[in-house]
Amino acid sequence: MTAFADRRAAGRALAERLAPLAGTDVVVLALPRGGLPVADEVARALGAPLDLVLVRKIGMPGNPELALGAIAGPGGQTMVLNEELVAAFGIDRDTIEAQAAPQRVELERRRKLWGGRLAPGALRGKTVVLVDDGIATGATMRAAIAAVRADKPAQVIVAAPVAPPDVVAAMETLADQVVCLYMPREFTAVGLHYASFPQLDDEEVRRILAAAPRT
């Protein structure tokens, strides 16, 4: 089922659900790249500053589409693993690091290219809204939550237009609140729930950030 016209439309619908946060001490963080247009609409509606939380999936050896885990933060210092997969396949730490290494390189490339907008300590005591265009397995969102928690925010809210019910339930054990507009039981891919779901390039990311709300 196509639930949303595009990411901007999904962001506006999500912003309506998050409207009670308007005027509070809130920061909106997007999971790039796809979460950025969604988060931009949310940030504008709430009058909140917008930034990115840098995060990358770690793929399974031989099956990169299957999430072994994810890393987050400018240097990928936060790592969250699917411990069930690690145990089931007997994956050792050297293999995990080998899988993570190219993703750390990509995070550093993105950090240099996209930059950061918030000062160190800017999340402390704030309500942080983590926004993506959808949550499939939850690997990258789990890493994002862990990375943000390290900065001691007052609360962490996960917000996404679409996610399967079991993933939403898992996110509810990690975040203070989860806002999800559509939770189909038959879930295959985030993009299938959008009529238009183009990939964003680096220049589009920079353009959105340049025009987005700041502190």
Side-chain angles (χ1 to χ4, degrees):
M1 175 184 171
T2 300
F4 307 103
D6 56 24
R7 292 183 179 94
R8 292 277 176 187
R12 290 190 291 272
L14 202 55
E16 291 182 9
R17 287 280 298 275
L18 294 165
L21 294 175
T24 66
D25 207 3
V26 60
V27 175
V28 177
L29 298 181
L31 276 66
R33 295 184 177 102
L36 186 55
V38 184
D40 188 36
E41 293 291 338
V42 171
R44 290 179 182 280
L46 299 183
L50 174 68
D51 202 357
L52 301 172
V53 54
L54 293 174
V55 61
R56 291 286 290 176
K57 180 176 73 175
I58 304 170
M60 280 284 289
N63 186 4
E65 292 305 310
L66 179 60
L68 177 61
I71 54 175
Q77 64 269 29
T78 299
M79 178 184 290
V80 174
L81 296 173
N82 184 329
E83 297 294 353
E84 291 182 359
L85 282 180
V86 172
F89 288 89
I91 302 171
D92 60 36
R93 292 292 155 170
D94 287 344
T95 301
I96 292 169
E97 284 302 321
Q99 292 298 108
Q103 305 310 324
R104 293 188 199 279
V105 172
E106 175 61 13
L107 284 183
E108 178 63 14
R109 185 194 74 84
R110 292 183 174 196
R111 184 190 68 78
K112 290 179 177 178
L113 184 64
W114 298 341
R117 297 155 53 84
L118 299 179
L123 302 182
R124 184 179 295 272
K126 304 289 181 68
T127 293
V128 175
V129 183
L130 291 170
V131 180
D132 207 349
D133 55 11
I135 307 174
T137 66
T140 52
M141 186 60 80
R142 283 194 292 271
I145 293 169
V148 166
R149 290 282 193 202
D151 287 340
K152 305 281 192 296
Q155 61 174 333
V156 177
I157 298 173
V158 168
V162 59
D166 61 324
V167 171
V168 171
M171 292 297 104
E172 287 174 339
T173 68
L174 301 173
D176 298 290
Q177 182 182 350
V178 177
V179 177
C180 185
L181 303 178
Y182 181 47
M183 292 176 282
R185 297 197 176 276
E186 298 297 326
F187 186 98
T188 53
V190 170
L192 295 180
H193 301 288
Y194 288 82
S196 176
F197 196 72
Q199 295 299 309
L200 274 71
D201 59 22
D202 289 331
E203 188 53 40
E204 179 68 2
V205 170
R206 294 173 70 178
R207 186 192 66 78
I208 293 173
L209 287 175
R214 293 177 178 268
T215 50

